[in-house]
Amino acid sequence: MLNDSVIEIAKELINRRSVTPEDAGCQEAIGEFLGALGFNNETMVFEDTTNLWSRRGKEGPVFCFAGHTDVVPSGPESAWKTPPFTATEVDGYLHGRGAADMKGSLAAMLVATREFVNKYPDHKGSIAYLITSDEEGPFINGTTRVIDTLEARNEKIDWCIVGEPSSTDEVGDIVKNGRRGSLTGDLVVKGVQGHVAYPHLAKNPVHSAMAALDELAKSHWDNGNDFFPPTSFQISNIHAGTGAGNVIPGEMHVCFNFRFSTEVTDQILIERVTAILEAHELEYEIKWTFNGQPFLTDTGALLEATQGAIAAVKGTPTVLSTAGGTSDGRFIAPTGAQVIELGPVNATIHKIDECVKMSDLEQLADMYFGILERLLAK
C-alpha cells in the first residue's frame, strides 16, 4: 500500500524502474490505494502493456484522472547527480526519472481523491482512473485500447484531466485545453542508381525531389485560429546514397511531420501532399502514420472548475494553451469527453536530473481536489 503524503507516494512510484512499456508494479500499488477508497479495479493487458481502469460509482457524470506509469529511459545513470530510480530530495526538489512526467501528478491525483472521498463519501457521479504503461512508447496498446474497450460497452467519460506536465514557470500557470493533430509521412522517391560520371544512364532521386520538397516546405496550409497556430510542416530526416561519392543513389528517403490545427484534417493534408508530388511527376511510395486528431475544450464545466480551482490555490488566473506535443488526451477527446491537461512544471522532463518542486506537487493535489469538489460534491 502506498504511503499517505503526496511526496512519499511520488517517491514510491519513482523508485520503481518502469521504463516503457514496463509498469514495475506501479499500477498494482495504485489499485490497492484506490481499492481501499471503494474503487473497483480492472486490469487490462494488451500485448506488452499493462493498463488500469478503476472506477468508484456507477452513475454519471464520470470524472476521470488519466495518466501513465511508464517513463523514458534514464540515459547514462553516471551522468545523474542522484540515482534516477532512487527518489531523492535536494533543496526542496524531488529528483528522479518520472518526478515531473508523470509520477508526481499520479501522487497528487491519489491524495486529492482520498481527501475528496473522505469528505464527500456520497459524491455525485463517478470518479475513474485510466492509467497506462504505454504513453512514452508506441502508444498502440495503452489508452487507445482501453478507450476502445470502454466504447464497446458504452462506458463514457464526461470529464478528463490528463496529468501531463503542462506548467511552464510555476504549477498551474498553463493549462493545455487542446492539442494539435500529428501526421507523419515516410516518403521514398525512386530513381535509377548509376555512376556519377554517366548521369545520362541514371536518374538522381535527390535532384528530382528537391523542387517538390521546396514547395512542401514553403506551402501555407492554413491560418490557424484563436486556439491553434497555423499548421506546420517539418522535414525531420533525409537519407540517400550508398556512402560512396561516385554513386548516384537509386532511392531517397524523406521523413516529415505535420502538426495541424482544427482548420484542416489529416485527409486534406494527404490529398494536398499527393497533389504536389504528382505535379512534380515523381516516382514514389509513401507511408502515412496518423498519430492523432487535434482536440479542443474551449468551454464547459471542466474548464470552469479547473480555472476556479487554480485561482483558489494560486490567487492568479491560468493561461490556456494548445502548444507542445501530443498526449493521450487525443484518444479520449473523440469520445465526446471534455479533456484538459494539468500537471507540474515541464522544464526537466525527459532530461538528465529530472526533478519537480515538492511544494508544487502539494499545490497540484489541492488543485485536483478543488476540481473534484466543484464538479462532484453534493
Side-chain angles (χ1 to χ4, degrees):
M1 179 68 69
L2 296 172
N3 285 327
D4 285 341
S5 74
V6 175
I7 304 307
E8 291 306 312
I9 293 173
K11 285 181 178 180
E12 291 190 48
L13 295 175
I14 292 167
N15 289 343
R16 298 173 184 266
R17 190 183 290 263
S18 56
V19 177
T20 189
E22 295 298 323
D23 171 70
C26 290
Q27 291 178 33
E28 182 179 358
I30 291 170
E32 289 180 0
F33 185 98
L34 293 173
L37 298 175
F39 282 73
N40 292 315
N41 296 318
E42 182 179 358
T43 297
M44 301 184 189
V45 178
F46 302 111
E47 305 299 331
D48 59 354
T49 301
T50 303
N51 306 284
L52 174 66
W53 172 250
S54 184
R55 177 169 173 174
R56 186 182 197 272
K58 297 181 179 179
E59 304 298 326
V62 177
F63 174 93
C64 179
F65 282 119
H68 60 91
T69 52
D70 59 321
V71 298
V72 296
S74 65
E77 296 194 20
S78 60
W80 286 65
K81 295 177 183 177
T82 62
F85 296 102
T86 301
T88 308
E89 296 183 26
V90 181
D91 297 329
Y93 284 80
L94 184 61
H95 286 245
R97 176 58 85 220
D101 187 15
M102 58 169 286
K103 292 180 175 180
S105 296
L106 293 175
M109 291 172 179
L110 292 172
V111 168
T113 301
R114 182 191 64 212
E115 298 306 309
F116 178 77
V117 168
N118 287 343
K119 186 174 181 179
Y120 303 100
D122 299 319
H123 58 79
K124 294 188 294 188
S126 300
I127 307 173
Y129 276 69
L130 197 171
I131 310 296
T132 184
S133 67
D134 184 38
E135 197 276 342
E136 300 288 8
F139 58 76
I140 58 175
N141 292 312
T143 299
T144 183
R145 296 285 297 271
V146 177
I147 289 296
D148 288 345
T149 302
L150 297 178
E151 285 289 287
R153 63 196 194 199
N154 199 33
E155 191 170 0
K156 294 286 189 178
I157 296 169
D158 296 283
W159 303 309
C160 181
I161 289 186
V162 184
E164 291 293 342
S166 63
S167 304
T168 300
D169 297 315
E170 58 182 41
V171 64
D173 61 352
I174 302 288
V175 165
K176 298 295 175 67
N177 66 321
R179 292 283 193 167
R180 294 174 294 175
S182 177
L183 176 68
T184 299
D186 289 291
L187 172 67
V188 180
V189 180
K190 304 287 187 175
V192 177
Q193 184 174 305
H195 197 292
V196 296
Y198 302 94
H200 59 290
L201 299 177
K203 182 179 180 182
N204 193 322
V206 178
H207 296 180
S208 301
M210 285 296 101
L213 295 180
D214 183 58
E215 183 174 347
L216 287 168
K218 292 178 178 177
S219 290
H220 180 74
W221 306 96
D222 61 50
N223 294 319
N225 53 41
D226 289 343
F227 296 97
F228 291 92
T231 292
S232 70
F233 168 90
Q234 291 293 318
I235 295 172
S236 56
N237 193 23
I238 295 180
H239 174 73
T242 64
N246 60 353
V247 178
I248 294 171
E251 292 184 344
M252 178 182 182
H253 295 253
V254 183
C255 181
F256 58 84
N257 179 265
F258 285 100
R259 292 301 166 101
F260 61 98
S261 75
T262 50
E263 296 296 304
V264 293
T265 66
D266 55 306
Q267 192 57 45
I268 289 173
L269 296 174
I270 290 172
E271 290 172 358
R272 288 185 60 182
V273 169
T274 301
I276 290 172
L277 297 177
E278 295 290 337
H280 288 272
E281 299 181 346
L282 298 180
E283 182 183 354
Y284 68 93
E285 295 176 355
I286 191 165
K287 176 186 176 184
W288 296 99
T289 302
F290 175 62
N291 305 308
Q293 293 283 9
F295 70 89
L296 179 68
T297 300
D298 57 345
T299 59
L302 176 62
L303 193 56
E304 292 175 7
T306 301
Q307 291 171 317
I310 292 173
V313 173
K314 300 292 292 185
T316 55
T318 190
V319 174
L320 303 180
S321 171
T322 61
T326 58
S327 78
D328 277 359
R330 68 191 187 274
F331 303 124
I332 301 168
T335 68
Q338 297 175 28
V339 179
I340 64 101
E341 298 173 28
L342 172 60
V345 172
N346 55 29
T348 64
I349 61 174
H350 292 205
K351 291 184 177 181
I352 300 292
D353 295 326
E354 178 181 352
C355 61
V356 64
K357 196 173 183 179
M358 290 188 289
S359 61
D360 281 358
L361 293 185
E362 292 165 346
Q363 288 189 327
L364 184 61
D366 291 338
M367 292 173 188
Y368 289 156
F369 174 86
I371 295 168
L372 285 169
E373 192 169 49
R374 284 164 172 78
L375 291 174
L376 296 181
K378 279 189 176 180

